[in-house]
Amino acid sequence: MPPPSGRPGPLRTAAVIPAAGRGVRLGPGAPKALRALGGTPMLIHAVRAMAASRAVSLVVVVAPPDGAPEVKNLLDAHALPERTDYLVVPGGDTRQESVGLGLDALPADVSVVLVHDAARPLVPVDTVDAVIGAVRDGAPAVVPALPLADTVKEVEPAAVPGEPEPVRATPVRARLRAVQTPQGFDRDTLVRAHAEVALDGEGATDDAGMVERLGTPVVVVPGHEEAFKVTRPLDLVLAEAVLARRRAHDGF
């Protein structure tokens, strides 16, 4: 079967990690992706998580617009699997722009693209492989996700923060999922989504949502509880505990 779009084989899988955000909810200091987790920046954990998959041969890190040299030096200073190449490119003002710049940097022989949050440093390799496998089996877009433990309410946002908000609806919990990353895509599908779907404000926070707007199917594979996003100080405490358990049990 010839490779899509006439690209030469063998076809490869690459991961794009947008890491240009400031992470204000973790408080002042270094950008969120550069915060230390177990003595190592979260970004390095995220890169290693992608490179842990033998299917991933390239990781593209999208750095803050003025921070690409610093991020490259950081990657050079930490051990990464030799079989995986990495590339650092400057990002844009929004996540959507940053992912787009990462896509622009991919070589022609990349056919499967993962997009992964730098703030999800502990995603297990089995989850990464499940996403890649589903794309290679023909799904144009794949997201790992977990069922919700809590009941969810749709509300009318308060005009003044902190005031009571009226409930508008209670979605059926069995039909809801909490989406994680890496999200996986056929490259042509993701490139088209970034070219054709323009979102207002901060842009896309979920690349699969952009693909949905094309009318292209998106499928879900099981996520993992350790693939949570480190957004607030309490998340960092939990991540430290997970990392300590891994090191104690697995020598990770």
Side-chain angles (χ1 to χ4, degrees):
M1 179 178 177
S5 301
R7 289 194 296 269
L11 300 177
R12 296 199 292 161
T13 295
V16 174
I17 302 180
R22 299 302 303 180
V24 294
R25 282 178 287 183
L26 273 178
K32 178 166 54 178
L34 303 185
R35 300 293 180 93
L37 172 59
T40 300
M42 280 200 293
L43 175 61
I44 299 299
H45 288 287
V47 171
R48 288 174 174 168
M50 297 299 98
S53 170
R54 300 192 68 86
V56 175
S57 59
L58 172 67
V59 178
V60 178
V61 177
V62 187
D66 58 351
E70 178 187 2
V71 170
K72 187 177 187 309
N73 289 339
L74 188 70
L75 292 171
D76 289 340
H78 289 82
L80 300 170
E82 291 184 2
R83 67 174 183 273
T84 305
D85 296 327
Y86 68 87
L87 180 66
V88 179
V89 298
D93 293 333
T94 67
R95 184 185 185 281
Q96 183 176 355
E97 290 178 6
S98 292
V99 173
L101 290 166
L103 287 174
D104 290 343
L106 295 178
D109 62 348
V110 170
S111 63
V112 177
V113 182
L114 304 179
V115 181
H116 184 58
D117 294 333
R120 296 184 191 269
L122 300 177
V123 57
V125 68
D126 287 351
T127 302
V128 181
D129 286 339
V131 171
I132 296 170
V135 178
R136 288 182 170 179
D137 285 344
V142 180
V143 296
L146 293 175
L148 297 183
D150 299 320
T151 297
V152 175
K153 300 289 186 183
E154 180 184 347
V155 303
E156 184 69 32
V160 178
E163 289 192 351
E165 298 174 322
V167 171
R168 297 303 186 198
T170 303
V172 178
R173 188 173 63 183
R175 296 175 61 88
L176 300 177
R177 297 292 183 269
V179 172
Q180 302 175 325
T181 69
Q183 298 184 354
F185 305 90
D186 166 77
R187 177 184 181 161
D188 293 338
T189 298
L190 186 58
V191 168
R192 185 162 71 92
H194 274 265
E196 297 182 13
V197 178
L199 301 180
D200 298 330
E202 291 298 312
T205 61
D206 174 20
D207 291 272
M210 297 175 64
V211 172
E212 289 171 42
R213 293 192 179 203
L214 296 177
T216 300
V218 178
V219 301
V220 168
V221 298
H224 196 280
E225 61 183 5
E226 293 182 1
F228 62 90
K229 192 171 186 178
V230 178
T231 302
R232 298 174 176 83
L234 184 59
D235 300 326
L236 194 57
V237 174
L238 179 57
E240 292 278 5
V242 171
L243 186 59
R245 185 184 66 184
R246 286 186 182 182
R247 287 173 170 169
H249 291 178
D250 307 323
F252 177 82

